[in-house]
Structures are given as structure tokens and as C-alpha cells.
């Protein structure tokens, strides 16, 4: 699938995500808007997955370590055929399998349960190591938030991935520069990320994570070492009044804001 | 003061764990051992020499170790994640909850040198909270074998069980208690000695002390039943309720704080189903003073004679 088609799908996913968060009255819309281009490229171009066989042994593994942006994953999985699209309307409803953080025992396509930060990368290292042991050809992808990289467990995993020579692992850091309470720079500034990952023995690519023409080749790149994509993104990308505003980490739009956001996202569909 | 509790030959259950794991790994190429620089203390040296590629040493990084275990399971490997119990369960508890228990990852967590096995190294190295932490989690059987026979049987069971579990092992020597052909059954207590006046319930390093206490009680004309309760969760409610009805008094002993461990688990059953006099022996909610594991068990009232005294006291409350 070509970048322009992927961009069209990403806009549709943004629109459905916005609607789901608005209707549920909760969600993490800022970080969802920043990561949706990467999710779209993964599920509609890069990942070898079979929605009718979500446990296929040869499937590429994907872990959304920033599990609080589950709604974006659910919408993407639904659009790709893992779950019914109409089920998105149950997001956060009582007994829905679509709760605020993804559950692998209930939602096809989810590999491991995330939510507490700093969990996905160690699990992804285990997945990639398993492939090395078994000879399986699948590739493992994991997305973390940039604030999430403050969790020490990630750096334990980064060390191990290099030590194990995991050339079948790609980490994408959604570098939207904001965490829940403030800008990364004002909290515990990890930027620049590149030299830190390089110092640990990883190959690093920096891209505009909201530009499909840069996202796709970076995800498809194969390295002789573990590969980290520092994806420079915008929190709230695609919705002008949300963009790069920390208060949109998990704020819910009013009716007026919702209508405005729908109008902006609908323009190009 | 601290004469050996048992004159029988004592065995380090880690040897049974390692030998069983190596035997299983010979016939199952999916088995991997994951450790945190603990090759020696987890007795994985033999495994490493036989299966060097299948020993995944993540270094001193317990959170990563547990996450890696979950990922290995996702990739079709049968991972035994081994580390000193205080660090495996304490440092990585959130990983055990989210990555293993909640995610239902087929990972076998093996807590080595649990309880006060590290004795003189002090409370940082004691793991006397791990029953409480792990048994609070759904979907995670918690098992503390009482001898090398039960250890080997539990490891075999764990390899065949499709789901996560926590095996709590010690390095403190214990005598053989179960028959050589013992087969481990999850959630089933073992009746080691029948009796009618009181029931002594324990697991791990305390079971053989209970057997000694029962002998002492027999000398006083008191008939004590001894139950080995390796599985703390799911707990054998039937055996506990029967013990309450048939003996009318229960004493538990554990190498663990009395808050939330084996005694608490038994008390939960008793309170809801068959209220009778009961006494919980264990670490009474303090950080232990300096001393070996055996010294500390004696110090905290779990010398066989002290257990017998506790039994006499609880019988009087009937």
C-alpha cells in the first residue's frame, strides 16, 4: 500500500478514534493522534499478520507499550479486520473487552498486556530472543512513549537487546515531547535520544513520525543490530487546537471542539 | 541451642530443581532458563553446559528478566525464570502481575533461596513476603515444595501445566518426607501423619519441623495430624475444613511473615467455613535479627518443641 493511501487510512483512524473518545468521555487522545501514523503503517503495510489467525506462529509481533493509547490500537485492529468495526462503540463500556488498556486474553491481535509503563520493551526483547532460539522469521516491533523511556526497565531491556544481538527487533519511540503532566524537557529530559541509544549499541534512525513517506521506510529498514526509530511526532497531530498542548494528554473535547476536530480531520478524506 | 532439627540426611531442593529441569530440557527443546546473573545460586551451571544457547542470562535486571520471560513464552518457548526470590518477586512484582499473571503468559517463576535462606545477609535478602504478594494475584498458582521429591515432582508438573506459576524454593537442607513415587497435584494437601487432637499445617522448610513436633506431641499423648500444604493458591479447602471438623484445632508454621502467607490463607478458609481455635507461627511482622535461617526459625518460635507448645495452647482453647 502506497503512502498516500496509508495517509487516507490514518485520517479515517484518527476520526474514528476521536469519535470513540468523545462518546466514551475518556481516552488519551493526544498520544493517540501522535502514534496513529505509525500504527497505520505497521498494520496496513509492514506487519505480516493474518486477522483470521491472530495467533499464527509466523506473525510479526507488535507491542503497544504505551498502552494508554489503546483506543487507537482498537480502531486500527478493527479496520484491519481483527475485531468488528462496530465494536469500537463499546470502548470503555461496562463489560466491553475494549478497556482503557489492551488485554491480550480478550482482544485478538494484542500480544501482551500493557498499561504500566516500561513493560512492553522487555517483553518484546523476549519475543525477539524466542525467534532467535527457534529460528522463526518473524520481526518484533514495539512502540513506547518518550516519557515512558524514563522507566528504568526500558534501559535494562535496551542493554539486553544489544547483548543478544537482536537484529529482529525494532523499537519506535513516539517522541511527541509531552508526558502526562508537562513537557518532557521540563520533567526529566531524555532528549536527544539518539546518542543514548547509540551508546547502548543500537542503530538509530530519526524521522518525522507523522510523515508516512518517512515512517514506512524506517519501519521496513533492517539492521545488523537492534533498531530504534526516534519518531518525532506531534501530540494531538491533525487537530489544530490539540497539537502540542499538554492538557490534551487525556482531555475530552466539548461538543464544539469535537465538531471542529471532525471538520478538520474530514477535510482530506 | 541450635542442634539440627533432623538427624536424617538433608538435601538442597535446588539440586532436585536443576536435575529435573535438565532432564526435561533434554526431551523438550522449547525449554529455556532465564536468570539474572544467578547461574550459580539457581544451580543452572549444568543446564548452561548442556544447553548453552538456552540459558538466557539478562544480567542483574529482574524487571527485564520477567518481561523477557513473558516474551519468550509468546514466541513459543517454555521459560523457567529463576532468581533469588526477594528480587524476583519484590523487584519485578508489577511485571509478574501485568506480563505474567494478567497476560496469562506460560512462564514458570522460580524463586530461589526464599524465606530466610540468606539468613545472616539480613532482611534485604529475606523473602518473607512473597506468598502474600503472589497469592494476591489471579491466575498464578503458588507452590512451596517440602523436600527434594516434591520439588522434582512440582517442576515436572509445572512444565506440563499450560499457564504461569510460582515455585518457591529454598537452599536450606530438608529431609525426604514424601514417597519416592510422589506425583504433584496442584491444590492438594498431603496427609503426612494422621491425628485427631490438632492439625499442624506447613510447607517448604517447615513441614519436617511439623513432623518432629508431632512426634513430641505423641510423647505427651496428643495425636497430631500433619498436612503438607505446598500449594498456597489454589488452596485445598476440603482438607483444611476436614482438619477443622475432625481435629478441632490448627497450627500453621511458615518461613514467611504471618501477614498474608500460608497461615493467613488457612485462616481465611477456617473463618468462612469452620471456625475453630488456630495459631499462626511465622515471622511476626518484624525485620529479622542477624542469624542463619535455622537460627531464625528457632528464634521465631518454630523449633519443634515450640511448635508442640503452641499446639498444646491452641488445643486448650477448644
Amino acid at each position: 500500500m502506497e503512502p498516500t493511501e496509508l495517509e487516507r487510512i490514518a485520517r479515517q483512524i484518527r476520526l474514528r478514534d476521536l469519535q470513540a473518545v468523545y462518546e466514551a468521555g475518556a481516552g488519551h487522545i493526544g498520544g493517540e493522534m501522535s502514534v496513529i501514523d505509525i500504527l497505520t503503517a505497521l498494520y496496513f503495510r509492514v506487519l505480516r499478520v493474518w486477522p483470521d489467525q491472530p495467533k499464527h506462529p509466523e506473525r510479526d509481533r507488535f507491542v503497544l507499550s504505551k498502552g494508554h493509547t489503546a483506543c487507537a490500537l482498537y480502531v486500527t485492529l478493527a479496520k484491519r479486520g481483527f475485531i468488528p468495526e462496530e465494536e469500537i462503540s463499546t470502548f470503555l463500556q461496562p463489560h466491553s473487552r475494549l478497556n482503557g488498556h489492551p488485554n491480550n486474553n480478550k482482544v485478538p491481535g494484542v500480544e501482551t498486556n500493557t498499561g504500566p509503563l516500561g513493560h512492553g520493551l522487555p517483553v518484546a526483547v523476549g519475543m525477539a530472543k524466542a525467534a532467535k532460539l527457534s529460528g522463526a522469521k518473524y520481526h518484533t516491533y514495539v512502540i513506547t512513549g518518550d516519557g515512558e523511556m524514563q522507566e528504568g526497565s526500558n534501559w535494562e531491556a535496551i542493554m539486553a537487546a544489544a547483548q543478544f544481538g537482536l537484529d529482529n527487533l525494532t523499537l519506535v519511540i513516539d517522541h511527541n515531547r509531552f508526558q502526562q503532566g508537562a513537557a518532557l524537557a521540563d520533567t526529566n529530559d531524555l532528549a536527544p535520544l539518539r546518542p543514548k541509544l547509540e551508546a547502548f549499541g543500537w542503530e538509530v534512525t530519526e524521522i518525522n513520525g507523522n510523515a508516512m513517506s518517512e515512517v514506512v521506510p524506517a519501519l521496513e529498514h533492517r539492521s545488523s543490530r537492534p533498531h530504534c526509530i526516534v519518531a518525532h511526532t506531534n501530540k494531538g497531530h491533525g487537530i489544530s487546537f490539540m497539537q502540542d498542548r499538554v492538557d490534551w494528554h487525556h482531555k475530552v473535547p466539548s461538543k464544539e471542539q469535537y465538531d471542529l476536530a471532525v471538520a478538520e480531520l474530514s477535510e482530506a478524506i | 541451642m541450635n542442634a539440627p532439627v533432623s538427624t536424617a540426611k538433608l538435601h538442597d531442593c535446588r539440586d532436585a530443581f536443576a536435575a529435573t529441569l535438565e532432564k526435561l530440557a533434554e526431551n523438550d527443546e522449547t525449554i529455556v532458563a532465564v536468570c539474572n546473573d544467578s547461574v550459580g545460586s539457581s544451580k543452572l551451571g549444568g543446564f548452561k553446559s548442556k544447553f548453552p544457547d538456552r540459558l538466557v542470562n539478562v544480567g542483574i535486571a529482574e524487571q527485564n528478566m520477567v518481561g523477557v520471560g513473558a516474551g519468550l513464552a509468546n514466541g513459543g518457548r517454555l521459560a523457567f525464570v529463576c532468581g533469588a526470590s526477594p528480587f524476583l518477586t519484590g523487584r519485578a512484582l508489577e511485571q509478574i502481575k501485568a506480563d505474567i499473571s494478567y497476560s496469562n503468559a506460560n512462564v514458570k517463576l522460580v524463586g530461589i533461596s526464599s524465606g530466610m535462606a540468606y539468613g545472616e545477609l539480613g532482611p534485604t535478602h529475606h523473602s518473607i513476603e512473597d506468598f502474600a504478594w503472589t497469592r494476591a494475584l489471579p491466575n498464578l498458582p503458588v507452590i512451596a515444595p517440602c523436600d527434594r521429591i516434591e520439588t522434582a515432582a512440582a517442576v515436572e508438573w509445572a512444565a506440563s501445566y499450560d499457564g504461569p506459576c510460582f515455585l518457591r524454593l529454598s537452599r536450606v537442607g530438608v529431609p525426604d518426607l514424601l514417597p519416592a513415587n510422589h506425583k504433584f497435584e496442584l491444590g492438594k494437601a498431603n496427609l503426612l501423619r494422621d491425628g485427631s487432637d490438632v492439625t499442624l499445617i506447613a510447607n517448604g522448610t517447615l513441614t519436617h519441623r511439623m513432623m518432629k513436633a508431632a512426634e513430641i506431641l505423641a510423647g505427651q499423648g496428643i495425636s497430631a495430624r500433619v498436612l503438607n500444604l505446598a500449594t498456597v493458591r489454589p488452596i485445598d479447602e476440603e482438607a483444611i475444613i476436614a482438619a477443622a471438623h475432625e481435629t478441632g484445632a490448627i497450627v500453621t508454621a511458615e518461613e514467611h511473615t504471618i501477614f498474608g502467607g500460608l497461615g493467613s490463607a488457612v485462616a481465611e478458609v477456617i473463618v468462612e467455613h469452620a471456625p475453630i481455635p488456630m495459631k499462626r507461627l511465622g515471622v511476626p511482622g518484624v525485620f529479622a535479627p542477624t542469624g542463619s535461617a535455622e537460627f531464625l526459625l528457632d528464634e521465631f518460635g518454630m523449633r519443634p518443641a515450640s511448635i508442640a507448645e503452641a499446639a498444646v495452647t491452641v488445643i486448650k482453647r477448644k
Side-chain angles (χ1 to χ4, degrees):
Chain A
M1 195 175 285
E2 292 308 305
T4 49
E5 177 63 7
L6 292 170
E7 285 165 7
R8 192 179 65 80
I9 293 171
R11 281 191 293 273
Q12 292 170 347
I13 291 173
R14 279 197 169 82
L15 194 56
R16 188 67 191 89
D17 182 274
L18 166 74
Q19 184 189 356
V21 170
Y22 176 68
E23 288 175 355
H28 288 83
I29 198 163
E32 284 159 8
M33 293 301 146
S34 70
V35 80
I36 279 172
D37 297 302
I38 300 160
L39 287 176
T40 303
L42 281 168
Y43 276 95
F44 289 88
R45 163 94 181 219
V46 177
L47 292 179
R48 285 203 315 149
V49 289
W50 298 270
D52 57 336
Q53 297 177 76
K55 297 284 187 189
H56 193 295
E58 292 296 319
R59 71 194 183 279
D60 284 336
R61 303 307 201 265
F62 169 67
V63 178
L64 182 66
S65 193
K66 42 177 284 182
H68 54 283
T69 57
C71 189
L73 178 64
Y74 298 148
V75 174
T76 308
L77 287 172
K79 200 153 189 63
R80 188 69 173 81
F82 283 88
I83 58 175
E85 290 202 67
E86 55 271 23
E87 194 175 342
I88 297 301
S89 62
T90 73
F91 177 58
L92 304 185
Q93 298 304 306
H95 290 293
S96 168
R97 59 180 174 168
L98 308 182
N99 75 19
H101 298 90
N103 183 336
N104 69 323
N105 291 303
K106 293 183 177 175
V107 184
V110 176
E111 298 284 356
T112 185
N113 295 346
T114 53
L117 298 174
H119 282 244
L121 182 53
V123 177
V125 167
M127 292 169 172
K129 179 65 178 172
K132 288 291 179 192
L133 288 166
S134 68
K137 298 298 178 204
Y138 66 78
H139 196 89
T140 299
Y141 293 88
V142 52
I143 300 179
T144 65
D146 51 1
E148 179 181 1
M149 295 309 290
Q150 292 161 356
E151 291 281 6
S153 52
N154 286 319
W155 299 94
E156 294 183 0
I158 285 165
M159 281 187 278
Q163 180 74 23
F164 296 158
L166 299 181
D167 57 8
N168 55 352
L169 175 67
T170 299
L171 159 67
V172 184
I173 302 176
D174 182 8
H175 194 11
N176 62 29
R177 308 180 309 288
F178 291 93
Q179 48 199 97
Q180 178 174 301
L184 200 71
D186 297 332
T187 307
N188 189 344
D189 194 4
L190 279 161
L193 286 155
R194 174 196 282 271
K196 296 178 177 66
L197 270 295
E198 285 179 340
F200 278 84
W202 286 52
E203 180 175 330
V204 179
T205 307
E206 294 200 62
I207 61 166
N208 176 347
N210 296 126
M212 206 57 85
S213 59
E214 296 187 34
V215 171
V216 169
L219 290 171
E220 290 180 340
H221 175 71
R222 289 295 176 265
S223 170
S224 59
R225 294 177 285 159
H227 182 212
C228 174
I229 300 170
V230 177
H232 295 273
T233 60
N234 301 310
K235 204 151 188 172
H237 186 84
I239 302 169
S240 59
F241 59 88
M242 290 186 189
Q243 191 155 315
D244 293 345
R245 296 282 305 274
V246 68
D247 47 341
W248 282 102
H249 177 80
H250 54 200
K251 194 173 158 182
V252 178
S254 67
K255 177 73 172 73
E256 283 179 356
Q257 289 168 327
Y258 174 69
D259 289 341
L260 181 58
V262 168
E264 288 187 14
L265 291 174
S266 300
E267 274 180 19
I269 292 179
Chain B
M1 276 294 286
N2 292 291
V5 168
S6 174
T7 52
K9 186 167 168 49
L10 304 180
H11 304 280
D12 181 340
C13 290
R14 293 178 301 170
D15 292 322
F17 157 70
T20 309
L21 188 63
E22 288 171 34
K23 186 186 74 177
L24 292 167
E26 280 169 13
N27 297 315
D28 183 350
E29 65 173 24
T30 70
I31 288 180
V32 294
V34 188
C35 70
N36 55 338
D37 192 32
S38 58
V39 175
S41 59
S42 297
K43 297 267 184 183
L44 291 171
F47 188 97
K48 184 183 180 184
S49 59
K50 286 182 184 166
F51 317 104
D53 297 339
R54 289 152 64 183
L55 190 281
V56 181
N57 187 348
V58 301
I60 306 166
E62 290 76 23
Q63 298 177 72
N64 187 47
M65 172 172 70
V66 173
V68 164
L72 286 164
N74 175 285
R77 303 295 97 183
L78 180 51
F80 282 75
V81 174
C82 314
S85 202
F87 315 130
L88 169 67
T89 61
R91 179 71 72 102
L93 186 59
E94 190 184 80
Q95 277 75 16
I96 293 173
K97 173 186 169 186
D99 308 351
I100 306 293
S101 165
Y102 182 38
S103 293
N104 192 31
N106 188 22
V107 170
K108 319 305 170 182
L109 301 166
V110 185
I112 304 286
S113 304
S114 61
M116 297 180 291
Y118 279 127
E120 298 89 340
L121 297 188
T124 56
H125 284 54
H126 294 169
S127 194
I128 58 167
E129 306 87 3
D130 50 14
F131 279 149
W133 291 338
T134 55
R135 85 178 181 93
L137 297 174
N139 192 38
L140 186 72
V142 177
I143 300 156
C146 70
D147 67 3
R148 61 175 178 162
I149 298 159
E150 189 170 35
T151 300
V155 172
E156 286 191 6
W157 170 86
S160 66
Y161 173 71
D162 185 17
C165 64
F166 171 53
L167 298 179
R168 185 189 198 249
L169 306 184
S170 180
R171 63 165 68 205
V172 176
V174 286
D176 291 344
L177 295 170
L178 291 162
N181 63 352
H182 176 71
K183 193 171 178 346
F184 179 82
E185 280 186 77
L186 181 68
K188 279 288 175 197
N190 315 114
L191 179 66
L192 295 186
R193 178 181 177 125
D194 206 359
S196 54
D197 296 326
V198 63
T199 300
L200 312 179
I201 303 177
N203 60 21
T205 54
L206 267 299
T207 301
H208 79 100
R209 286 174 175 256
M210 289 304 216
M211 292 295 281
K212 287 284 176 187
E215 285 174 27
I216 294 169
L217 288 166
Q220 300 169 14
I222 295 169
S223 167
R225 177 179 298 186
V226 178
L227 288 179
N228 175 52
L229 196 71
T231 312
V232 177
R233 181 175 177 174
I235 202 163
D236 189 343
E237 291 195 354
E238 193 180 340
I240 294 166
I241 293 167
H245 288 152
E246 291 161 19
T247 70
I250 288 177
V251 177
T252 60
E254 59 196 303
E255 197 177 333
H256 190 276
T257 171
I258 58 168
F259 297 98
L262 169 74
S264 297
V266 171
E268 288 160 14
V269 177
I270 293 302
V271 165
E272 291 197 351
H273 299 284
I276 51 153
M278 181 180 167
K279 177 66 180 175
R280 293 170 297 141
L281 299 174
V283 181
V286 298
F287 292 114
T290 305
S292 69
E294 299 282 14
F295 168 84
L296 292 170
L297 290 175
D298 289 352
E299 185 82 357
F300 289 125
M302 290 177 278
R303 191 195 309 271
S306 309
I307 296 169
E309 283 172 28
V312 170
T313 304
V314 80
I315 288 168
K316 286 179 184 162
R317 288 169 48 208
K318 280 190 190 178

